Amino acid sequence: MKQSLEQYIFEHSLNTPDKIAIVAQGKATTYARLWSLILKRAEALRREGLSAGDVYVTRSQQSLDYLVTYFAIHYLGAVVCPLEKGVSDQRFLQISRDVHGLKFNPKTDSDILYTTGTTGVSKGVLISRRAILCNGENLVFALGFKSDLTFVITGPINHSGNWSKVIPTMMVGATLYVLEDMKDVNLFFDAMGYGPHKTACFLVPASIRMLLLLSRKRLAALCEKIDFIETGGAPISSADMQMLAETLPHTRLFNTYASSECGMICTYNFNDGKHKNSCCGTPMKHASFEIVDGKVVCQNGGQMSCYVNAPELTANVLKDGKIYTNDLAHIDDDGMLVIEGRDGDVINVGALKVSPSEVESVALAFPAVSDCICLPKSHPVMGNIVRLLIVPKDADSFDKQQLVQHIAARLENYKVPQSIELVDAIKRTYNGKLDRKAYQ
């Protein structure tokens, strides 16, 4: 393992100078050209006053220019703080003030990734250079990144699900194909069909469901072209696992457990005929996990160093070199991690606990359901009952009673929603996760 991601890029610029490194906004850039741009941008940033140990706050963009800037900041020994491109000016200035004047270790510190988390408290996650490379190796070995692969980025690069894939792609000297988002499905299919080599991508479960509902035949036509698809960040239903596996029978399909704090922990190829619901598989190369008091505790060479300027928050999560999460889980008989939900999301119905993701997974298997979210609803006797918001495929013909019967045949009585409402859309965060806070 080298000392930095930029060292990998430099070596590729020497060994495979004409290999396409990045395709963005319709233009292809070779590794030789990429390295030249990085050096040029680094010199410009140096003239602007950026030096080793400084923090550079920027808005993430789906562009070659952003990636060049990202690598150039590291090349100078400075720390990148990438915020989502739509962040408000007020929020951008607030974070800039929070990190202004802080000095970091240019030999060890690399990125500050801001995450909201379940508490709503904004936290800057400090990632080391070693952590970046360990996460890269975790993915190279677990997902099988190779130099003759084109990896398609389909969402915000500052989101860990997409940002983490830049790392192994550059490490092995493969090609990174950057899309703005998934709004134009034609651009997605053009990217997945790009070049002579195999392709792969990361898709949040909502995007997978959209493709299966609207473009399944086009996806199936690429079954021999797609090496693997990875998902994560939110639960994928067992029904969608099975449908995707049937559509792409020869493609490796991974469900990965990861976070900004933990890094890349484990993954499960659900194209195994079992399609284990909420299963995230076995540990990656530099990672391990255990269950403590019903929650995931993990250790990883790719985990965070700390929360910036937040020693108390850090102490609550990082203990004895391990990350203590709020994810409820168990380890199955095959040694695989099975996520049961977030501690704060579990619905208490009387003295019983309901995992919203379990209800959502069963509801999504009902053919007339396009999307859904499971939430608590106050009740004078029970305290809470289960509430289900549904986006139907056809509102005029939707039968709530049939949905209730479908769920009741598969789950215990106390998990069956007592309140079902039809809505036009489900609220989601910018990176595709269900936005449960928006319903509080």
Side-chain angles (χ1 to χ4, degrees), residues 141-363:
F141 286 96
L143 273 61
F145 277 78
K146 297 179 180 178
S147 60
D148 60 350
L149 178 76
T150 296
F151 193 91
V152 180
I153 295 286
T154 61
I157 299 178
N158 66 307
H159 172 233
S160 61
N162 297 291
W163 163 78
S164 61
K165 308 312 174 302
V166 174
I167 305 164
T169 304
M170 294 292 101
M171 287 177 75
V172 301
T175 298
L176 190 72
Y177 197 118
V178 182
L179 295 176
E180 184 68 28
D181 48 40
M182 284 290 290
K183 292 179 181 177
D184 190 333
V185 72
N186 292 319
L187 292 179
F188 169 76
F189 281 109
D190 286 345
M192 294 303 289
Y194 176 80
H197 304 305
K198 292 273 190 174
T199 55
C201 65
F202 172 86
L203 295 172
V204 295
S207 294
I208 289 175
R209 186 161 187 81
M210 177 194 72
L211 290 172
L212 290 174
L213 291 175
L214 302 178
S215 304
R216 189 177 179 185
K217 287 184 178 179
R218 293 184 69 180
L219 192 62
L222 292 172
C223 64
E224 300 300 330
K225 177 74 170 177
I226 302 175
D227 183 16
F228 67 86
I229 293 176
E230 185 203 22
T231 189
I236 179 172
S237 71
S238 181
D240 285 352
M241 283 185 181
Q242 184 171 351
M243 190 181 300
L244 187 61
E246 291 171 352
T247 306
L248 300 171
H250 308 303
T251 298
R252 294 174 299 130
L253 305 172
F254 295 104
N255 187 35
T256 297
Y257 179 74
S259 72
S260 299
E261 289 90 341
C262 297
M264 315 307 297
I265 298 298
C266 54
T267 197
Y268 162 57
N269 180 5
F270 58 83
N271 203 350
D272 61 352
K274 299 177 181 178
H275 322 301
K276 292 183 178 181
N277 191 40
S278 299
C279 182
C280 297
T282 53
M284 297 187 190
K285 180 178 180 179
H286 297 287
S288 62
F289 57 74
E290 58 186 306
I291 306 299
V292 178
D293 296 329
K295 299 178 183 178
V296 180
V297 175
C298 49
Q299 193 167 25
N300 182 16
Q303 69 192 31
M304 73 172 186
S305 302
C306 66
Y307 290 124
V308 176
N309 276 346
E312 291 185 4
L313 280 175
T314 301
N316 289 334
V317 173
L318 184 56
K319 306 172 186 178
D320 299 323
K322 298 178 180 180
I323 300 290
Y324 284 70
T325 78
N326 280 321
D327 293 322
L328 300 170
H330 68 270
I331 299 173
D332 69 12
D333 293 339
D334 296 321
M336 294 188 178
L337 184 68
V338 180
I339 302 296
E340 299 168 357
R342 297 283 293 179
D343 190 17
D345 295 339
V346 170
I347 302 170
N348 290 307
V349 178
L352 303 171
K353 296 183 184 297
V354 178
S355 168
S357 61
E358 183 182 19
V359 178
E360 290 155 1
S361 180
V362 173

